Amino acid sequence: MRPTSAAWPWCSPACAISVIDGPVLNFATLGLTPALVRALADMGLHVPTPIQAEAIPAILKSADVWATAPTGSGKTLAFALPLLQHLLASPRQTNFRRPVRTLVLVPTRELAVQVGDVLARLAYKLPQSLKVNTVFGGVSVNPQMMALRGGADIVVATPGRLLDLIDQNALRLADVQHLVLDEADRLLDLGFADELHRVLALLPAQRQTLLFSATFAPEVEALAANLLRDPVRITVEAFEGHKPDITQRAIAVDEKSRTALLRHLITENGWKQVLVFVATRYACEHVANKLYKAGIFATPFHGEMSQGARQEVLREFKAGRWDVVVTTDLASRGIDIARLPVVVNYDLPRSATDYTHRIGRTGRAGAHGDALSFVTAAALAHWRLIQKRESLELALEQIPGFEPTEAPPPPSPGHGGIKGQRPSKKDKLRAAAAQDGS
Ligand code: ADP
Ligand code: MG
């Protein structure tokens, strides 16, 4: 079943139905039980997004699914709803300890909290009690162990903490029937290879596996295919033929003028909620500090902060209490900030994939967003590569008062590759270490 409409009807709150190949499309026609449909209606959700329309029936049929769909297009509910239905349909055998039947892996702690919340909110509205536990690192393990006493039906986890809990006998994976890798390409890349390998070895071979992401770089395709059995492959963008409503802009600027330009744009446009991406944790602190001293309510968000501080910043940013959050790629994946209007690439991302995810923090759920990239002379060649990979041709703008004066560096052969196309130094070291170990 494929939506025939050229626009996403679910984007408009006024529209409660859409037409796919003739019949009226709503959550019930996808095969979801009345209890779930009611829970969705309570949350104000009536019309499935295209990825939900495609993935829900396939997952309900117990197929493995490999789904690619744009950022902010509702992938979480696309797997959460049918998986909850599977659990409702097969009541657990024992009241003594709940075996973990569904495992959702995600790459970051904040995403674990977000996905866990979606599942828990839905589960809470269902007639049959289903227990959702969320586990992630950076916080004390003891409360998570306590919460897992008596087991859980669904566990949402970052891989490292999941393995810690397994090592401490707080949970086991032998009964898992459904596995989801959300942001699957990120979980399949080298950074998670060891942990993922260990988790997979503990799972039953007979299970349903679901992979979801907005991107699958060619490097991870083979790994993804290996995990799946006769998967239903769903690629929403290919047939929808359009992307989230994000106005992308590129602004030429000297490296040293970027903070002043950012300040100027924020005040000039009256931006009240801006997510700014930089390359390093140090830059997060530095840029946020400078903005703050200039009277802009800005704060950093990065992996060296305590988990408590991270969660507080995100909560406050979502609530509109910070005007600007300056972050690394830590915040580039999955995080859903409703109607976030502006994303700025102060430093360019390392790869086109990261670019897609970064700008995808805006323009979610049918909302409009703006994504600006600062392009310095030194980064111009890299920007061209990102554009090429993204099939973008943006005019390089100049902002009056901030016209660039720096000349691009001379091209150096063998240098200036884009992440994903050439192995990074870290990738080469890892590959060498893997060879040594084998
Ligand atoms: P993705 O994982 O594809 O990036 P999310 O699952 O985080 O996107 O969803 C993005 C936003 O869209 C969320 O705020 C979610 O509540 C909203 N959303 C999801 N499904 C629907 C729907 N059917 N109708 C309206 N909004 C939806
Ligand atoms: Mg997501």
Side-chain angles (χ1 to χ4, degrees), residues 101-143:
R101 290 181 285 165
T102 297
L103 174 65
V104 182
L105 288 179
V106 296
T108 67
R109 300 164 186 175
E110 284 75 16
L111 191 53
V113 172
Q114 185 179 301
V115 171
D117 277 355
V118 170
L119 279 158
R121 258 192 301 148
L122 278 166
Y124 180 73
K125 291 175 187 283
L126 300 177
Q128 189 181 314
S129 120
L130 291 174
K131 191 174 161 206
V132 182
N133 275 43
T134 304
V135 300
F136 52 90
V139 291
S140 164
V141 76
N142 291 335

mmCIF file of all heavy atoms in Angstrom, residues 101-143:
data_model
loop_
_atom_site.group_PDB
_atom_site.id
_atom_site.type_symbol
_atom_site.label_atom_id
_atom_site.label_comp_id
_atom_site.label_asym_id
_atom_site.label_seq_id
_atom_site.Cartn_x
_atom_site.Cartn_y
_atom_site.Cartn_z
ATOM 1 N N ARG A 101 11.155 -9.472 25.710
ATOM 2 C CA ARG A 101 10.757 -10.005 24.402
ATOM 3 C C ARG A 101 11.086 -9.052 23.266
ATOM 4 O O ARG A 101 11.185 -9.449 22.116
ATOM 5 C CB ARG A 101 9.250 -10.323 24.416
ATOM 6 C CG ARG A 101 8.942 -11.535 25.300
ATOM 7 C CD ARG A 101 7.465 -11.849 25.297
ATOM 8 N NE ARG A 101 6.703 -10.912 26.095
ATOM 9 C CZ ARG A 101 5.387 -10.785 26.030
ATOM 10 N NH1 ARG A 101 4.696 -11.523 25.169
ATOM 11 N NH2 ARG A 101 4.752 -9.939 26.804
ATOM 12 N N THR A 102 11.214 -7.775 23.608
ATOM 13 C CA THR A 102 11.517 -6.788 22.572
ATOM 14 C C THR A 102 12.697 -5.931 23.019
ATOM 15 O O THR A 102 12.696 -5.403 24.138
ATOM 16 C CB THR A 102 10.289 -5.887 22.320
ATOM 17 O OG1 THR A 102 9.235 -6.722 21.839
ATOM 18 C CG2 THR A 102 10.585 -4.814 21.290
ATOM 19 N N LEU A 103 13.690 -5.827 22.148
ATOM 20 C CA LEU A 103 14.872 -5.019 22.471
ATOM 21 C C LEU A 103 15.038 -3.943 21.399
ATOM 22 O O LEU A 103 15.079 -4.238 20.205
ATOM 23 C CB LEU A 103 16.118 -5.917 22.493
ATOM 24 C CG LEU A 103 17.455 -5.192 22.672
ATOM 25 C CD1 LEU A 103 17.542 -4.524 24.041
ATOM 26 C CD2 LEU A 103 18.624 -6.179 22.505
ATOM 27 N N VAL A 104 15.109 -2.693 21.846
ATOM 28 C CA VAL A 104 15.340 -1.574 20.923
ATOM 29 C C VAL A 104 16.695 -0.976 21.247
ATOM 30 O O VAL A 104 16.924 -0.514 22.369
ATOM 31 C CB VAL A 104 14.243 -0.486 21.072
ATOM 32 C CG1 VAL A 104 14.478 0.634 20.059
ATOM 33 C CG2 VAL A 104 12.853 -1.076 20.906
ATOM 34 N N LEU A 105 17.608 -1.021 20.290
ATOM 35 C CA LEU A 105 18.929 -0.427 20.502
ATOM 36 C C LEU A 105 18.999 0.924 19.821
ATOM 37 O O LEU A 105 18.527 1.092 18.689
ATOM 38 C CB LEU A 105 20.019 -1.330 19.920
ATOM 39 C CG LEU A 105 20.303 -2.627 20.666
ATOM 40 C CD1 LEU A 105 21.397 -3.417 19.932
ATOM 41 C CD2 LEU A 105 20.712 -2.368 22.113
ATOM 42 N N VAL A 106 19.613 1.881 20.503
ATOM 43 C CA VAL A 106 19.795 3.230 19.950
ATOM 44 C C VAL A 106 21.223 3.686 20.257
ATOM 45 O O VAL A 106 21.833 3.197 21.198
ATOM 46 C CB VAL A 106 18.787 4.234 20.569
ATOM 47 C CG1 VAL A 106 17.361 3.877 20.218
ATOM 48 C CG2 VAL A 106 18.960 4.317 22.071
ATOM 49 N N PRO A 107 21.747 4.652 19.469
ATOM 50 C CA PRO A 107 23.154 5.014 19.681
ATOM 51 C C PRO A 107 23.431 6.037 20.784
ATOM 52 O O PRO A 107 24.570 6.145 21.218
ATOM 53 C CB PRO A 107 23.570 5.589 18.312
ATOM 54 C CG PRO A 107 22.304 6.063 17.686
ATOM 55 C CD PRO A 107 21.202 5.207 18.232
ATOM 56 N N THR A 108 22.435 6.800 21.219
ATOM 57 C CA THR A 108 22.746 7.798 22.266
ATOM 58 C C THR A 108 21.762 7.712 23.435
ATOM 59 O O THR A 108 20.638 7.230 23.293
ATOM 60 C CB THR A 108 22.709 9.262 21.724
ATOM 61 O OG1 THR A 108 21.354 9.593 21.374
ATOM 62 C CG2 THR A 108 23.621 9.443 20.519
ATOM 63 N N ARG A 109 22.242 8.218 24.556
ATOM 64 C CA ARG A 109 21.445 8.136 25.793
ATOM 65 C C ARG A 109 20.155 8.939 25.667
ATOM 66 O O ARG A 109 19.099 8.495 26.094
ATOM 67 C CB ARG A 109 22.264 8.698 26.953
ATOM 68 C CG ARG A 109 23.545 7.937 27.179
ATOM 69 C CD ARG A 109 24.486 8.745 28.042
ATOM 70 N NE ARG A 109 25.780 8.094 28.164
ATOM 71 C CZ ARG A 109 26.817 8.635 28.779
ATOM 72 N NH1 ARG A 109 26.710 9.834 29.322
ATOM 73 N NH2 ARG A 109 27.958 7.989 28.842
ATOM 74 N N GLU A 110 20.276 10.126 25.082
ATOM 75 C CA GLU A 110 19.090 10.985 24.958
ATOM 76 C C GLU A 110 18.047 10.334 24.057
ATOM 77 O O GLU A 110 16.845 10.447 24.290
ATOM 78 C CB GLU A 110 19.478 12.358 24.389
ATOM 79 C CG GLU A 110 20.163 13.282 25.388
ATOM 80 C CD GLU A 110 21.603 12.887 25.673
ATOM 81 O OE1 GLU A 110 22.181 12.101 24.892
ATOM 82 O OE2 GLU A 110 22.170 13.360 26.678
ATOM 83 N N LEU A 111 18.522 9.646 23.036
ATOM 84 C CA LEU A 111 17.582 8.973 22.144
ATOM 85 C C LEU A 111 16.917 7.794 22.864
ATOM 86 O O LEU A 111 15.742 7.507 22.660
ATOM 87 C CB LEU A 111 18.296 8.515 20.865
ATOM 88 C CG LEU A 111 17.395 8.029 19.738
ATOM 89 C CD1 LEU A 111 16.316 9.037 19.385
ATOM 90 C CD2 LEU A 111 18.218 7.705 18.492
ATOM 91 N N ALA A 112 17.676 7.123 23.736
ATOM 92 C CA ALA A 112 17.089 6.027 24.522
ATOM 93 C C ALA A 112 15.928 6.574 25.349
ATOM 94 O O ALA A 112 14.826 5.992 25.359
ATOM 95 C CB ALA A 112 18.153 5.400 25.428
ATOM 96 N N VAL A 113 16.161 7.699 26.003
ATOM 97 C CA VAL A 113 15.106 8.288 26.838
ATOM 98 C C VAL A 113 13.886 8.633 25.976
ATOM 99 O O VAL A 113 12.742 8.324 26.334
ATOM 100 C CB VAL A 113 15.637 9.561 27.554
ATOM 101 C CG1 VAL A 113 14.509 10.307 28.262
ATOM 102 C CG2 VAL A 113 16.744 9.189 28.540
ATOM 103 N N GLN A 114 14.149 9.239 24.825
ATOM 104 C CA GLN A 114 13.058 9.678 23.936
ATOM 105 C C GLN A 114 12.231 8.487 23.425
ATOM 106 O O GLN A 114 11.003 8.494 23.487
ATOM 107 C CB GLN A 114 13.682 10.435 22.770
ATOM 108 C CG GLN A 114 12.697 11.069 21.827
ATOM 109 C CD GLN A 114 13.438 11.819 20.720
ATOM 110 O OE1 GLN A 114 14.204 12.729 20.992
ATOM 111 N NE2 GLN A 114 13.223 11.428 19.477
ATOM 112 N N VAL A 115 12.914 7.466 22.915
ATOM 113 C CA VAL A 115 12.204 6.307 22.360
ATOM 114 C C VAL A 115 11.503 5.535 23.488
ATOM 115 O O VAL A 115 10.362 5.078 23.339
ATOM 116 C CB VAL A 115 13.183 5.403 21.571
ATOM 117 C CG1 VAL A 115 12.520 4.097 21.169
ATOM 118 C CG2 VAL A 115 13.706 6.140 20.345
ATOM 119 N N GLY A 116 12.184 5.419 24.641
ATOM 120 C CA GLY A 116 11.578 4.757 25.803
ATOM 121 C C GLY A 116 10.291 5.469 26.214
ATOM 122 O O GLY A 116 9.288 4.828 26.539
ATOM 123 N N ASP A 117 10.314 6.796 26.188
ATOM 124 C CA ASP A 117 9.127 7.578 26.564
ATOM 125 C C ASP A 117 7.960 7.314 25.619
ATOM 126 O O ASP A 117 6.819 7.185 26.051
ATOM 127 C CB ASP A 117 9.441 9.086 26.517
ATOM 128 C CG ASP A 117 10.117 9.546 27.790
ATOM 129 O OD1 ASP A 117 10.249 8.722 28.715
ATOM 130 O OD2 ASP A 117 10.519 10.729 27.851
ATOM 131 N N VAL A 118 8.252 7.267 24.315
ATOM 132 C CA VAL A 118 7.183 7.019 23.330
ATOM 133 C C VAL A 118 6.538 5.663 23.617
ATOM 134 O O VAL A 118 5.303 5.534 23.683
ATOM 135 C CB VAL A 118 7.739 7.061 21.882
ATOM 136 C CG1 VAL A 118 6.701 6.565 20.880
ATOM 137 C CG2 VAL A 118 8.191 8.484 21.522
ATOM 138 N N LEU A 119 7.374 4.645 23.810
ATOM 139 C CA LEU A 119 6.844 3.301 24.067
ATOM 140 C C LEU A 119 6.091 3.251 25.391
ATOM 141 O O LEU A 119 5.002 2.671 25.479
ATOM 142 C CB LEU A 119 7.993 2.291 24.072
ATOM 143 C CG LEU A 119 8.442 1.854 22.676
ATOM 144 C CD1 LEU A 119 9.863 1.307 22.694
ATOM 145 C CD2 LEU A 119 7.488 0.792 22.112
ATOM 146 N N ALA A 120 6.658 3.885 26.421
ATOM 147 C CA ALA A 120 6.024 3.830 27.745
ATOM 148 C C ALA A 120 4.685 4.562 27.734
ATOM 149 O O ALA A 120 3.709 4.108 28.338
ATOM 150 C CB ALA A 120 6.957 4.425 28.796
ATOM 151 N N ARG A 121 4.629 5.702 27.035
ATOM 152 C CA ARG A 121 3.377 6.473 26.991
ATOM 153 C C ARG A 121 2.266 5.670 26.325
ATOM 154 O O ARG A 121 1.121 5.676 26.751
ATOM 155 C CB ARG A 121 3.595 7.788 26.229
ATOM 156 C CG ARG A 121 3.749 8.972 27.186
ATOM 157 C CD ARG A 121 3.668 10.280 26.446
ATOM 158 N NE ARG A 121 4.688 10.383 25.427
ATOM 159 C CZ ARG A 121 4.538 11.036 24.276
ATOM 160 N NH1 ARG A 121 3.400 11.619 23.992
ATOM 161 N NH2 ARG A 121 5.524 11.110 23.416
ATOM 162 N N LEU A 122 2.626 4.964 25.250
ATOM 163 C CA LEU A 122 1.628 4.142 24.567
ATOM 164 C C LEU A 122 1.245 2.943 25.435
ATOM 165 O O LEU A 122 0.056 2.631 25.588
ATOM 166 C CB LEU A 122 2.192 3.642 23.235
ATOM 167 C CG LEU A 122 2.133 4.611 22.069
ATOM 168 C CD1 LEU A 122 3.018 4.117 20.936
ATOM 169 C CD2 LEU A 122 0.689 4.758 21.566
ATOM 170 N N ALA A 123 2.254 2.272 26.005
ATOM 171 C CA ALA A 123 1.998 1.068 26.802
ATOM 172 C C ALA A 123 1.073 1.392 27.973
ATOM 173 O O ALA A 123 0.199 0.601 28.334
ATOM 174 C CB ALA A 123 3.318 0.487 27.303
ATOM 175 N N TYR A 124 1.258 2.576 28.541
ATOM 176 C CA TYR A 124 0.462 3.001 29.687
ATOM 177 C C TYR A 124 -1.026 3.048 29.365
ATOM 178 O O TYR A 124 -1.877 2.830 30.220
ATOM 179 C CB TYR A 124 0.960 4.385 30.112
ATOM 180 C CG TYR A 124 0.248 4.983 31.285
ATOM 181 C CD1 TYR A 124 0.455 4.497 32.583
ATOM 182 C CD2 TYR A 124 -0.649 6.038 31.102
ATOM 183 C CE1 TYR A 124 -0.214 5.045 33.659
ATOM 184 C CE2 TYR A 124 -1.321 6.593 32.174
ATOM 185 C CZ TYR A 124 -1.097 6.096 33.447
ATOM 186 O OH TYR A 124 -1.760 6.643 34.507
ATOM 187 N N LYS A 125 -1.334 3.321 28.089
ATOM 188 C CA LYS A 125 -2.740 3.484 27.687
ATOM 189 C C LYS A 125 -3.394 2.158 27.297
ATOM 190 O O LYS A 125 -4.555 2.141 26.923
ATOM 191 C CB LYS A 125 -2.828 4.447 26.497
ATOM 192 C CG LYS A 125 -2.474 5.896 26.855
ATOM 193 C CD LYS A 125 -2.474 6.751 25.603
ATOM 194 C CE LYS A 125 -1.960 8.154 25.875
ATOM 195 N NZ LYS A 125 -2.944 9.010 26.532
ATOM 196 N N LEU A 126 -2.619 1.074 27.337
ATOM 197 C CA LEU A 126 -3.163 -0.198 26.860
ATOM 198 C C LEU A 126 -3.811 -0.982 27.997
ATOM 199 O O LEU A 126 -3.396 -0.847 29.150
ATOM 200 C CB LEU A 126 -2.053 -1.019 26.200
ATOM 201 C CG LEU A 126 -1.415 -0.330 24.993
ATOM 202 C CD1 LEU A 126 -0.270 -1.162 24.439
ATOM 203 C CD2 LEU A 126 -2.455 -0.067 23.912
ATOM 204 N N PRO A 127 -4.799 -1.816 27.652
ATOM 205 C CA PRO A 127 -5.507 -2.538 28.715
ATOM 206 C C PRO A 127 -4.620 -3.565 29.417
ATOM 207 O O PRO A 127 -4.761 -3.813 30.610
ATOM 208 C CB PRO A 127 -6.653 -3.240 27.959
ATOM 209 C CG PRO A 127 -6.283 -3.208 26.514
ATOM 210 C CD PRO A 127 -5.360 -2.063 26.315
ATOM 211 N N GLN A 128 -3.698 -4.138 28.672
ATOM 212 C CA GLN A 128 -2.837 -5.173 29.258
ATOM 213 C C GLN A 128 -1.538 -4.521 29.714
ATOM 214 O O GLN A 128 -0.975 -3.701 28.982
ATOM 215 C CB GLN A 128 -2.548 -6.183 28.152
ATOM 216 C CG GLN A 128 -1.860 -7.433 28.585
ATOM 217 C CD GLN A 128 -1.646 -8.311 27.337
ATOM 218 O OE1 GLN A 128 -2.550 -8.501 26.529
ATOM 219 N NE2 GLN A 128 -0.444 -8.791 27.169
ATOM 220 N N SER A 129 -1.064 -4.888 30.900
ATOM 221 C CA SER A 129 0.130 -4.191 31.393
ATOM 222 C C SER A 129 1.397 -4.658 30.669
ATOM 223 O O SER A 129 1.683 -5.852 30.589
ATOM 224 C CB SER A 129 0.247 -4.405 32.905
ATOM 225 O OG SER A 129 1.439 -5.048 33.223
ATOM 226 N N LEU A 130 2.094 -3.714 30.092
ATOM 227 C CA LEU A 130 3.375 -4.015 29.451
ATOM 228 C C LEU A 130 4.427 -3.127 30.110
ATOM 229 O O LEU A 130 4.201 -1.932 30.292
ATOM 230 C CB LEU A 130 3.319 -3.708 27.946
ATOM 231 C CG LEU A 130 2.441 -4.611 27.085
ATOM 232 C CD1 LEU A 130 2.374 -4.103 25.646
ATOM 233 C CD2 LEU A 130 2.975 -6.052 27.102
ATOM 234 N N LYS A 131 5.561 -3.733 30.438
ATOM 235 C CA LYS A 131 6.588 -2.962 31.146
ATOM 236 C C LYS A 131 7.707 -2.561 30.193
ATOM 237 O O LYS A 131 8.297 -3.415 29.522
ATOM 238 C CB LYS A 131 7.123 -3.818 32.295
ATOM 239 C CG LYS A 131 7.997 -3.046 33.251
ATOM 240 C CD LYS A 131 8.366 -3.934 34.439
ATOM 241 C CE LYS A 131 9.584 -3.369 35.153
ATOM 242 N NZ LYS A 131 10.323 -4.392 35.861
ATOM 243 N N VAL A 132 7.977 -1.262 30.147
ATOM 244 C CA VAL A 132 9.046 -0.732 29.283
ATOM 245 C C VAL A 132 10.164 -0.228 30.180
ATOM 246 O O VAL A 132 9.930 0.594 31.070
ATOM 247 C CB VAL A 132 8.521 0.446 28.422
ATOM 248 C CG1 VAL A 132 9.620 0.962 27.506
ATOM 249 C CG2 VAL A 132 7.287 0.034 27.620
ATOM 250 N N ASN A 133 11.371 -0.695 29.986
ATOM 251 C CA ASN A 133 12.524 -0.179 30.739
ATOM 252 C C ASN A 133 13.527 0.467 29.799
ATOM 253 O O ASN A 133 13.793 -0.073 28.727
ATOM 254 C CB ASN A 133 13.226 -1.314 31.484
ATOM 255 C CG ASN A 133 12.587 -1.592 32.817
ATOM 256 O OD1 ASN A 133 11.363 -1.616 32.910
ATOM 257 N ND2 ASN A 133 13.394 -1.787 33.827
ATOM 258 N N THR A 134 14.064 1.592 30.231
ATOM 259 C CA THR A 134 15.063 2.282 29.415
ATOM 260 C C THR A 134 16.387 2.283 30.158
ATOM 261 O O THR A 134 16.437 2.682 31.326
ATOM 262 C CB THR A 134 14.603 3.738 29.149
ATOM 263 O OG1 THR A 134 13.314 3.689 28.536
ATOM 264 C CG2 THR A 134 15.561 4.451 28.225
ATOM 265 N N VAL A 135 17.437 1.815 29.503
ATOM 266 C CA VAL A 135 18.742 1.768 30.179
ATOM 267 C C VAL A 135 19.800 2.434 29.303
ATOM 268 O O VAL A 135 19.838 2.250 28.093
ATOM 269 C CB VAL A 135 19.158 0.316 30.529
ATOM 270 C CG1 VAL A 135 18.138 -0.325 31.452
ATOM 271 C CG2 VAL A 135 19.354 -0.562 29.300
ATOM 272 N N PHE A 136 20.634 3.252 29.936
ATOM 273 C CA PHE A 136 21.675 3.981 29.203
ATOM 274 C C PHE A 136 22.770 4.372 30.184
ATOM 275 O O PHE A 136 22.541 4.434 31.405
ATOM 276 C CB PHE A 136 21.075 5.222 28.526
ATOM 277 C CG PHE A 136 20.300 6.104 29.459
ATOM 278 C CD1 PHE A 136 20.928 7.131 30.154
ATOM 279 C CD2 PHE A 136 18.947 5.885 29.670
ATOM 280 C CE1 PHE A 136 20.216 7.928 31.032
ATOM 281 C CE2 PHE A 136 18.223 6.688 30.550
ATOM 282 C CZ PHE A 136 18.865 7.707 31.230
ATOM 283 N N GLY A 137 23.928 4.642 29.653
ATOM 284 C CA GLY A 137 25.092 4.927 30.494
ATOM 285 C C GLY A 137 25.120 6.346 31.021
ATOM 286 O O GLY A 137 24.228 7.147 30.762
ATOM 287 N N GLY A 138 26.184 6.619 31.820
ATOM 288 C CA GLY A 138 26.386 7.980 32.323
ATOM 289 C C GLY A 138 25.625 8.270 33.597
ATOM 290 O O GLY A 138 25.767 9.353 34.169
ATOM 291 N N VAL A 139 24.783 7.328 34.028
ATOM 292 C CA VAL A 139 24.062 7.487 35.294
ATOM 293 C C VAL A 139 24.274 6.198 36.091
ATOM 294 O O VAL A 139 24.678 5.183 35.534
ATOM 295 C CB VAL A 139 22.541 7.715 35.077
ATOM 296 C CG1 VAL A 139 22.275 9.064 34.454
ATOM 297 C CG2 VAL A 139 21.942 6.603 34.204
ATOM 298 N N SER A 140 23.986 6.256 37.382
ATOM 299 C CA SER A 140 24.206 5.095 38.239
ATOM 300 C C SER A 140 23.449 3.874 37.703
ATOM 301 O O SER A 140 22.307 3.978 37.255
ATOM 302 C CB SER A 140 23.741 5.437 39.649
ATOM 303 O OG SER A 140 23.605 4.258 40.389
ATOM 304 N N VAL A 141 24.118 2.724 37.773
ATOM 305 C CA VAL A 141 23.504 1.512 37.236
ATOM 306 C C VAL A 141 22.466 0.935 38.209
ATOM 307 O O VAL A 141 21.541 0.234 37.807
ATOM 308 C CB VAL A 141 24.612 0.470 36.883
ATOM 309 C CG1 VAL A 141 25.155 -0.196 38.135
ATOM 310 C CG2 VAL A 141 24.127 -0.557 35.878
ATOM 311 N N ASN A 142 22.591 1.279 39.503
ATOM 312 C CA ASN A 142 21.742 0.625 40.512
ATOM 313 C C ASN A 142 20.243 0.831 40.306
ATOM 314 O O ASN A 142 19.486 -0.152 40.320
ATOM 315 C CB ASN A 142 22.153 1.060 41.928
ATOM 316 C CG ASN A 142 23.514 0.501 42.269
ATOM 317 O OD1 ASN A 142 23.919 -0.524 41.714
ATOM 318 N ND2 ASN A 142 24.232 1.175 43.138
ATOM 319 N N PRO A 143 19.784 2.061 40.095
ATOM 320 C CA PRO A 143 18.331 2.218 39.872
ATOM 321 C C PRO A 143 17.857 1.434 38.646
ATOM 322 O O PRO A 143 16.738 0.903 38.650
ATOM 323 C CB PRO A 143 18.169 3.722 39.640
ATOM 324 C CG PRO A 143 19.372 4.350 40.237
ATOM 325 C CD PRO A 143 20.471 3.355 40.113
#
